[in-house]
Every structure is written in C-alpha cells, then in structure tokens.
Amino acid sequence: DTGVSQDPRHKITKRGQNVTFRCDPISEHNRLYWYRQTLGQGPEFLTYFQNEAQLEKSRLLSDRFSAERPKGSFSTLEIQRTEQGDSAMYLCASSFLQGAPYEQYFGPGTRLTVT
Amino acid sequence: GQQVMQIPQYQHVQEGEDFTTYCNSSTTLSNIQWYKQRPGGHPVFLIQLVKSGEVKKQKRLTFQFGEAKKNSSLHITATQTTDVGTYFCAGTRTQGAQKLVFGQGTRLTINP
C-alpha cells in the first residue's frame, strides 16, 4: 500500500496523559499536513510541513500540541496533558510540492478518545 | 477569520434523483477543492477549481466556481448508492497557500 499511513488507528487515554501519533506520507510527497476532525464537522487545519520545515500553525494548535517532521519523511503529532476536548479524529495528509491541482491525499486517521 | 459554509447539512434522496450541495465563503478564494468522505473513511479528493466561473464535469458530477470566487456548487445527476457519503468543499485564501479551510460538509444518504 503506497498511500498515507497513520499509527495508531485508535487511542484511548486518560485525561492528563500524553499521546503521540505518527504519520507516514506518500514517499514522493514533500508536503505534509495535520488536521483534526470532530463528528459532523469538516477537517480543521492544524499545521503543515514542507520537507522538515514547519511553515504554518493554526491558532487551534495550543502549547500542548507539537508536531515534528525531523527528516522530512514521517511526522509525529504529540498532545501533552490531554483534555476531553481533544477527543477527535486526527488526520494526516500529504501532497506534492509542485504541480496542480494541489490535491491532498489523506490517511485513515487516528481516533483519539480522552476519558 | 475565513469561514466556509455549506448547505444543506443533510440530504436524503431516492436513488435516481439529483443532488446539489452549495458552498459559500466569507472571503474571496484563490481556489476551491471538493472532497468526498465515505462513512468511516477519510476525505478523498474529487476536483479543484481555480478560475472565476469555472465549470468542470466528472461523469455525473458537475462542479461550479462562482464569478466572484466566493461560492461553489456540486451537482450529482441521477444519484446512485455509491454516491453515499459526506461532500466537503475546501478553499484557500491566497494563491499558493496550503491552509485548506473546509466547510462542515453535506451528508448524502440514498434510498435504493
């Protein structure tokens, strides 16, 4: 499978714990995005990387959230001191740097439940 | 900030009927993309519109971008059960911008 992969697919954690999610983009893609999606809503942009550089962060990304893409390949999203409001589907997407359309290829997501 | 609104939120049709979802932005968009998300699945890219007044067709699907580049629509002719899912529009504010702002989606269900 050469699509975007995410791990884990599901995560249940207790409030206050830290969690980390991983995203492996399509190998030729140098742009990587993180989104959060809650039930009945569209994905909300969190941040994006071009290669290893984090170029934009949403105001939704509080100090408890941090994302990295150390070698310009896979990325991790960490949430510290989780809160119940963090429960959501966390989606990763990737795209080519050049060419149009700038379609984004989404992974299956990580569903986070904070109890 | 930029907001993208979609209507209706839900639409239930009989198989064979047509379906339309509308997308409106509070600001002028550089481009608009449409995605489909099947139940339990992830968003899948359908199309991108860039030019004012642009119309694109994909088999039974017709996509339009408004003259003012603030609204868009997706029309499906003669729906089939495989069309079930949630349709999202998503726009970028400036050319080359990577932040996609999604609408809340229109969930389409079909009675066979």
Side-chain angles (χ1 to χ4, degrees), chain A residues 20-35:
Chain A
T20 300
F21 309 141
R22 176 179 171 125
C23 171
D24 286 89
I26 294 172
S27 58
E28 315 88 79
H29 289 182
N30 39 23
R31 283 185 170 151
L32 185 148
Y33 313 79
W34 284 100
Y35 293 86

Side-chain angles (χ1 to χ4, degrees), chain A residues 59-73:
Chain A
R59 294 173 195 171
L60 293 173
L61 216 63
S62 74
D63 291 345
R64 298 185 297 105
F65 288 71
S66 62
E68 294 184 341
R69 195 182 183 198
K71 297 182 180 179
S73 56

Side-chain angles (χ1 to χ4, degrees), chain B residues 17-20 60-61 74-79 83 87 108:
Chain B
E17 291 182 338
D18 293 354
F19 160 76
T20 305
R60 296 178 294 104
L61 278 61
L74 158 60
H75 179 82
I76 302 178
T77 303
T79 54
D83 296 326
Y87 293 85
L108 174 64

Side-chain angles (χ1 to χ4, degrees), chain B:
Chain B
Q2 180 184 1
Q3 290 187 329
V4 176
M5 306 298 292
Q6 267 185 269
I7 55 170
Q9 192 173 357
Y10 303 98
Q11 184 78 58
H12 180 77
V13 300
Q14 290 288 127
E15 188 175 14
E17 291 182 338
D18 293 354
F19 160 76
T20 305
T21 174
Y22 300 91
C23 180
N24 291 284
S25 170
S26 57
T27 59
T28 301
L29 300 171
S30 174
N31 67 74
I32 197 155
Q33 299 181 9
W34 284 90
Y35 290 79
K36 177 184 178 181
Q37 187 171 23
R38 293 181 185 274
H42 55 272
V44 174
F45 176 84
L46 293 176
I47 209 160
Q48 175 174 276
L49 303 171
V50 178
K51 300 176 183 176
S52 169
E54 189 170 15
V55 178
K56 286 188 176 180
K57 292 189 177 183
Q58 288 180 350
K59 297 181 180 178
R60 296 178 294 104
L61 278 61
T62 302
F63 304 84
Q64 290 188 315
F65 201 8
E67 294 290 340
K69 300 184 74 172
K70 294 181 74 173
N71 57 70
S72 181
S73 65
L74 158 60
H75 179 82
I76 302 178
T77 303
T79 54
Q80 300 174 359
T81 54
T82 53
D83 296 326
V84 164
T86 300
Y87 293 85
F88 293 100
C89 62
T92 59
R93 196 169 177 181
T94 56
Q95 188 177 3
Q98 294 302 308
K99 178 181 176 180
L100 272 177
V101 178
F102 279 78
Q104 69 268 46
T106 295
R107 183 179 171 190
L108 174 64
T109 54
I110 298 174
N111 204 22

